[in-house]
Amino acid sequence: MGESLNEKNAMYLDMSAQNQALQEIDLMDSHAFSSHIQDILTHKQKKFALGGYAENRAIYRRSQVFAQEGSLFRNIHLGVDIWSGSGAMVFCPFEGRVHSYKDNMGFGNYGPTLILEHYLEGQVIYSLYGHLSRKDLKYLKPGQVFLGGEKIGHLGDTEENGHWPPHLHFQLIHDMENRKGDYPGVCAEKEIEKYLNNCPDPHLWLGLPVLSF
């Protein structure tokens, strides 16, 4: 995010199904949801709120994107969310090339999404950046190289980012399974072992100890 995330500028945000405060707002109202997040940041005097890896969330019931057969919804979050203001800049953590990108439109979806391919210690791993600004996709090309610390985009606003409060969904992926511009950021509980094995905890890439503050 262009600066170190630490206890001075960031806080962890509980978006789990156990968070009673989320049950008191209309999650279908994207602007009310955004105001809730911004009020927390203002009250805590923080620029960023983050967390959510492997978190069990009920918020996905707001969108049919996550619906399964019957009344079931995917509910296990596979990345780390960094909540902030729309327009906040996003930077490349390690050198990588553009694997693919896509505007995943629709209520509850990723919106503009970028996936980078990295070579680290002789292995390939992918990083996914969801809920970006639509204008950022205009400047991307397949195979384009970004250096570590180079700007790759901005946080999109609620109207373009899948109707979410402005935030970055950051996820690591071992096997893209032949997908381009998209990969599940949420899985069903019955698939948790498969997806957590394929999507490792990204905290170290963010320079963060796991849930330490």
Side-chain angles (χ1 to χ4, degrees), residues 60-61 63-68 72-74 108-109 164 185-186:
Y60 300 117
R61 291 183 174 273
S63 171
Q64 289 299 308
V65 168
F66 305 99
Q68 295 189 303
L72 298 178
F73 279 73
R74 290 183 287 137
N109 213 330
W164 292 96
V186 181

Side-chain angles (χ1 to χ4, degrees), residues 10 24 43 52 77 80 92 102 106 112 117 120 130-131 134-135 142 152 157 189-190 192 201 205 209:
E24 298 174 4
H43 177 70
H77 191 243
V80 166
C92 183
K102 180 181 177 183
E117 181 178 351
L120 292 174
H131 311 294
R134 189 166 288 136
K135 66 181 181 182
I152 59 175
D157 61 35
E189 289 185 62
K190 65 181 181 180
I192 190 170
D201 190 337
W205 277 49

